[in-house]
Amino acid sequence: MAYYLQRQGVAYDLFEAGSEVGGNMRTLHKNGYTFELGPNTLQMNEELLQLITELKLETELQPLTPRNNKRYVLHQGKLHAVPSCPKSFLVNDLFSKEDKYRILQERKQPPAEVENETVSDFFERRFGVKQMDYLAAPLISGLYGGDPRQLLVNKAHPELKGLETEYGSVLEGMVQKKKRGVFQRAFSFRNGMSTLPQAIADKLISLHLDHKVEFITRIKGKYIISCAANGDHDNEEYDILVLALPAHQAAELIEFTYPGMSAALQNINYPPMAVVHTVYNRAEVGHPLKGFGALHPWEEQSFTSGSIWTSSLFENRCRPHEVMMTSYVGGARFAGHTQLDERALLEQVHQELRDTYQIKALAPVYQHLHLWPHALPQFDLYIEDAHHMAEVLEQDGLFISANWYAGVSVPDCVSEAKAIATKINTRPSSRSIA
Ligand SMILES: Cc1cc2nc3c(=O)[nH]c(=O)nc-3n(C[C@H](O)[C@H](O)[C@H](O)COP(=O)(O)OP(=O)(O)OC[C@H]3O[C@@H](n4cnc5c(N)ncnc54)[C@H](O)[C@@H]3O)c2cc1C
């Protein structure tokens, strides 16, 4: 956001509470391993590509090889490949003949506009129930740790709803987009995700690290920002304010200035999520791990919501004779799993990996846990009020550049940040704050 303001010649100050930039985009290099504590992969979009080019990061890009695009789903304790083309769909044993017939009928289902339709209802309307269980639910929970019975399809997955609106059918839309090569590959950076925020920070002229904003007031049309830095407190005055924070943290700052908005922000759900990296000797893992990873439907009642086969995607994350898997624990339905103490949680993950991947080792070579107490905002009915109010408050010069408004993926956040910077630049006021 600040980067785009700067490029457009808008004066700004960016206050960051931490001593490093990046927020959720955090890479940890430890004991010769590279651990992504937040995002593992990004999907390229137009704005992200342009940003990477401007920052001269093309040589740092680390794309996934096509053979590693295959995804698996756990069904009755065994892994099954998720069909990726019509042929693999027809021979797939995840679905009965009747289910396959019903899925193919999706193309004939007329499009419909249903108010507040949940992801679960959307899939049931278009495909039937079983597909929801084994494809959509893990897809959603894998990404958001979310509950498809609560998430609104037009907010949480506008791209899915968009296929129905634009092509009349999700399947037809996917086929057309594949033909036009619209689907982009996932990628990371050779040295990890932190590469991107760090490269942006290196360009910023008004970044203030270790500056925690404590309070925001509005007096005579100006925003007064109270900041704590190095034991001191500073007050600065601005015309425009950009909140680039998780909803619950933003809520505290504007409690007295915008109590209605603050209450709406407090209502946004952020289930906790633990990210566990586990390393084994390759020789002790029976499964070939050729693919992206496996997602676990809730019906399987497994401890984790799935694992990414990190060392299959990116060779340099562990030693060549080892494999690394990144597992996710918690989310909307299994938040309680994150309450276990660290040892018990790590042991549960290890035992599940042993059972699923035919691992002989009694203990992993290495394990690392990172807990996100408020991982990702849920785009359910509770988020609607905050979105409505955010639109109205733009008239006051208050803008939002955060994942609870833009969409949770990093490319969504980048696209929105660019759009907001342009919006601010076309206003008469000149000073802003992110
Ligand atoms: C476990 C996990 C896995 C994910 N996987 C993916 C993925 O694979 N692909 C993908 O595209 N996305 C993924 N995401 C989502 C993506 O990382 C986030 O949506 C995005 O990075 C959020 O950016 P943000 O700027 O909205 O918020 P944040 O990253 O939370 O940044 C907010 C910043 O505000 C600062 N701050 C907070 N309070 C104050 C204050 N009072 N004063 C000053 N500064 C303050 C914080 O220190 C922080 O730096 C994942 C997220 C998580 C948690």
Side-chain angles (χ1 to χ4, degrees), residues 17-35:
S19 51
E20 286 173 24
V21 292
N24 283 336
M25 293 186 85
R26 217 178 295 173
T27 309
L28 177 70
H29 299 284
K30 196 174 176 190
N31 285 19
Y33 301 115
T34 300
F35 301 125

Side-chain angles (χ1 to χ4, degrees), residues 15-17 23-24 38-41 213 245 249 376 402-403 408-411:
F15 298 117
E16 164 56 52
N24 283 336
N40 257 279
T41 54
V213 177
L245 310 163
Q249 286 168 324
L376 287 168
N403 62 359
V408 293
S409 79
V410 172

Side-chain angles (χ1 to χ4, degrees), residues 80-137:
H80 297 255
V82 176
S84 55
C85 65
K87 197 176 154 207
S88 65
F89 169 70
L90 288 173
V91 296
N92 196 282
D93 55 1
L94 263 180
F95 306 104
S96 65
K97 263 191 202 151
E98 293 75 32
D99 284 342
K100 285 178 184 169
Y101 179 75
R102 174 67 182 83
I103 292 173
L104 293 174
Q105 293 303 306
E106 193 269 339
R107 282 181 159 168
K108 295 189 182 152
Q109 301 294 323
E113 283 307 319
V114 182
E115 203 184 342
N116 292 334
E117 188 173 37
T118 65
V119 172
S120 191
D121 289 342
F122 176 79
F123 274 92
E124 196 173 331
R125 175 167 65 79
R126 301 238 31 114
F127 292 99
V129 177
K130 194 164 159 38
Q131 291 64 55
M132 178 65 221
D133 293 345
Y134 284 99
L135 283 180

